[in-house]
Amino acid sequence: MNHAPMPAPLGAIAHRVMLERGLQPEFSQDAKAELAAITRPASPSGPDVRDLRELLWCSIDNDDSRDLDQLSVAVSADDGVRILVAIADVDALVAIGSAIDAHAATNTTSVYTAAGIFPMLPEK
């Protein structure tokens, strides 16, 4: 009796497909070392930096998204309504040309599969 091979677990399939598409399913040792060296949040700097955490920001991302990199809020203004957009300043902690930056440049986004999420940036 000839049996067809059993399908690989979903995680192994997702990992293989990431590689087949030229993506990096795992962070390199260099990227992991860079992540370990980050010991604090980025320091706000610049004359235009304002603390707007009291506003009711929203995101189009779902609850399990790993890419909360932009938010928006509508606020009243003298001339109507003003839409504010907050965009993540990743290079405040991730140096351009670093191993983490190279991983992000290769994948360009977090990849969501039924087996799990392959994040563009490592979580700290």
Side-chain angles (χ1 to χ4, degrees), residues 32-120:
K32 291 176 184 177
E34 290 172 3
L35 181 65
I38 298 172
T39 59
R40 58 177 177 68
S43 299
S45 62
D48 297 328
V49 174
R50 296 174 287 157
D51 185 348
L52 300 174
R53 288 179 284 185
E54 77 282 353
L55 298 177
L56 189 58
W57 294 92
C58 68
S59 171
I60 62 169
D61 296 308
N62 56 7
D63 291 343
D64 63 348
S65 177
R66 303 289 269 235
D67 290 334
L68 297 177
D69 53 3
Q70 61 193 38
L71 302 169
S72 59
V73 64
V75 295
S76 294
D78 291 339
D79 57 349
V81 175
R82 179 167 293 160
I83 304 296
L84 303 177
V85 178
I87 301 172
D89 185 9
V90 175
D91 68 350
L93 288 175
V94 175
I96 295 171
S98 67
I100 294 174
D101 182 53
H103 180 94
T106 297
N107 286 14
T108 70
T109 189
S110 293
V111 177
Y112 296 81
T113 72
I117 301 168
F118 297 91
M120 179 179 74

Side-chain angles (χ1 to χ4, degrees), residues 14-37:
H15 189 274
R16 186 192 76 229
V17 171
M18 289 278 293
L19 292 172
E20 289 172 356
R21 300 290 191 273
L23 301 173
Q24 298 172 353
E26 297 156 352
F27 293 97
S28 69
Q29 290 303 316
D30 288 342
K32 291 176 184 177
E34 290 172 3
L35 181 65

